[in-house]
Amino acid sequence: MAGDFGTRFMDKMVISHFADGWSDARIVPSDSISLHPGAHVLHYASTCFEGLKAFRQVDGSVAIFRMDRNVARFAQSSQLLYLPAIDQEQTTRMITEIVALYADEIPDTPASMYIRPTHIGTEAAIGKAAAPSASSMQYVLLSPVADYFAGGDACLRLLLDEKGVRCGPDHGMVKGGGNYASALKHIMRARSEVNADQVLFCPGGDVQETGAANFILVDGNQIITKALDESFLHGVTRDSLLTLARDKGMDVQERELTVEELLERSAKPDCEAGLSGTAAVLAAVGTLIHGGREYKVGSGQVGPRIRAMREELNAIQWGKSADTHGWLTHL
């Protein structure tokens, strides 16, 4: 996988500030943020963000994938963190403006332009541990990224953790920095102790998600994944993959999945599992680690269904297949 994914940025971004209302958006150098050391975000994690991509189409044009869904989730995260409400129309304009500015620099597929809208609390008020920031800023960064699977398919090792939690069970819908920070200690421990790539959080035996991706189990014509609730992130890629699976008549089950059932199904030779997210789209899972033992998922290798699901969604994103759901915003 691309170890340097998201480490290069375009030299300009678009920014807007909230005081009594939102300021007009401005294009500024991407290293131009100035924050007071007492800014709310630095002390109380009043920060949320999004991740979406712009793709070079086969005809040479540029399209952004599912921008409306990401902007709506950005607004929801801001609301749940009690940050000032974003103006979704303004945020949409900010995204399209900065992407259009760099349209000529968006790489050919399978590479893309990663888009990172960010919203942070800026009020200098270290006494507000139990109160929201009255002021904030939002900005949109761009990062050209290579194919996540450069060098071949990934086949991940997951530690099943029945005790740890990624974040507070009523806070998982927020795409915020605090949730990723709270998962990090579990991920680092799993890497050190059992050479796992990620932790699949399964509190009380309930299979949820990893630190940065949704989990999908594919067993024959069945796709099983946790039903939407507030304990985990409602992934846009997850929704896209499930929609396409339903289009093909697959049996999509959004329901409780226990560790016991997961291990039982994974033992089948043709079972497959994957992690869905913006960066990788769908990365195969080859090994589950639980109770000091390792369990192969199916053959332990990347399976045909996971690969086909990823390729089907990529084809829509790249303009190679019809966008029947209206997911692409063409510039």
Side-chain angles (χ1 to χ4, degrees):
M1 292 181 291
D4 60 350
F5 188 98
T7 59
R8 178 188 163 210
F9 298 95
M10 307 313 292
D11 60 0
K12 294 186 185 300
M13 67 178 184
V14 60
I15 192 167
S16 177
H17 297 81
F18 183 90
D20 296 324
W22 284 104
S23 68
D24 292 338
R26 296 182 300 117
I27 302 290
V28 299
S30 17
D31 60 356
S32 64
I33 283 181
S34 176
L35 281 178
H36 190 282
H40 197 274
V41 63
L42 301 178
H43 301 268
Y44 306 119
S46 52
T47 171
C48 59
F49 58 90
E50 274 301 322
L52 61 160
K53 286 178 177 177
F55 297 93
R56 178 76 59 196
Q57 304 293 281
V58 290
D59 64 3
S61 65
V62 171
I64 303 171
F65 184 69
R66 303 205 72 176
M67 177 169 56
D68 58 342
R69 188 66 176 261
N70 281 275
V71 170
R73 191 173 64 178
F74 192 44
Q76 175 182 268
S77 293
S78 298
Q79 180 183 19
L80 292 172
L81 288 172
Y82 287 86
L83 283 162
I86 68 165
D87 178 335
Q88 293 191 47
E89 291 185 3
Q90 182 189 34
T91 301
T92 299
R93 289 194 302 270
M94 290 171 66
I95 293 171
T96 54
E97 180 181 9
I98 196 65
V99 172
L101 180 66
Y102 287 104
D104 291 343
E105 297 187 50
I106 293 173
D108 292 333
T109 57
S112 61
M113 185 69 80
Y114 192 92
I115 307 166
R116 175 52 62 94
T118 305
H119 189 191
I120 62 175
T122 56
E123 184 179 4
I126 59 174
K128 278 196 162 185
S133 176
S135 62
S136 68
M137 73 168 70
Q138 63 169 320
Y139 54 88
V140 183
L141 280 171
L142 297 185
S143 175
V145 293
D147 179 14
Y148 200 76
F149 292 101
D153 284 327
C155 203
L156 305 176
R157 294 166 50 85
L158 302 187
L159 173 67
L160 308 186
D161 187 342
E162 296 190 57
K163 295 181 180 179
V165 292
R166 174 178 180 259
C167 60
D170 60 347
H171 201 59
M173 289 171 62
V174 176
K175 191 171 178 68
N179 286 356
Y180 291 83
S182 65
L184 189 57
K185 66 179 181 181
H186 301 286
I187 298 168
M188 297 306 291
R189 185 179 301 130
R191 287 177 181 169
S192 172
E193 295 178 357
V194 296
N195 193 32
D197 295 295
Q198 264 288 356
V199 173
L200 180 56
F201 293 99
C202 310
D206 176 34
V207 177
Q208 295 186 345
E209 65 177 338
T210 68
N214 294 136
F215 179 79
I216 293 174
L217 185 69
V218 184
D219 184 2
N221 193 50
Q222 295 180 334
I223 294 181
I224 305 170
T225 188
K226 183 173 174 60
L228 296 179
D229 63 26
E230 60 184 3
S231 70
F232 75 108
L233 191 66
H234 299 181
V236 177
T237 303
R238 170 193 181 278
D239 178 77
S240 305
L241 291 166
L242 297 186
T243 297
L244 295 176
R246 290 189 178 100
D247 288 348
K248 294 197 295 293
M250 295 188 72
D251 178 14
V252 177
Q253 301 179 16
E254 297 183 75
R255 62 170 175 83
E256 179 181 332
L257 174 64
T258 65
V259 168
E260 181 181 10
E261 181 183 359
L262 171 59
L263 294 176
E264 180 181 333
R265 286 181 177 267
S266 295
K268 298 179 181 180
D270 61 348
C271 190
E272 300 177 42
L275 299 181
S276 67
T278 299
V281 179
L282 189 60
V285 175
T287 303
L288 303 174
I289 306 164
H290 181 256
R293 293 181 55 193
E294 295 191 4
Y295 301 82
K296 283 186 179 181
V297 179
S299 67
Q301 304 299 317
V302 181
R305 297 184 190 89
I306 291 293
R307 183 180 284 111
M309 290 171 69
R310 184 173 74 235
E311 290 176 351
E312 181 182 15
L313 185 54
N314 277 154
I316 296 171
Q317 293 172 328
W318 301 345
K320 293 184 175 180
S321 294
D323 175 24
T324 57
H325 293 282
W327 287 340
L328 296 175
T329 299
H330 294 268
L331 300 187

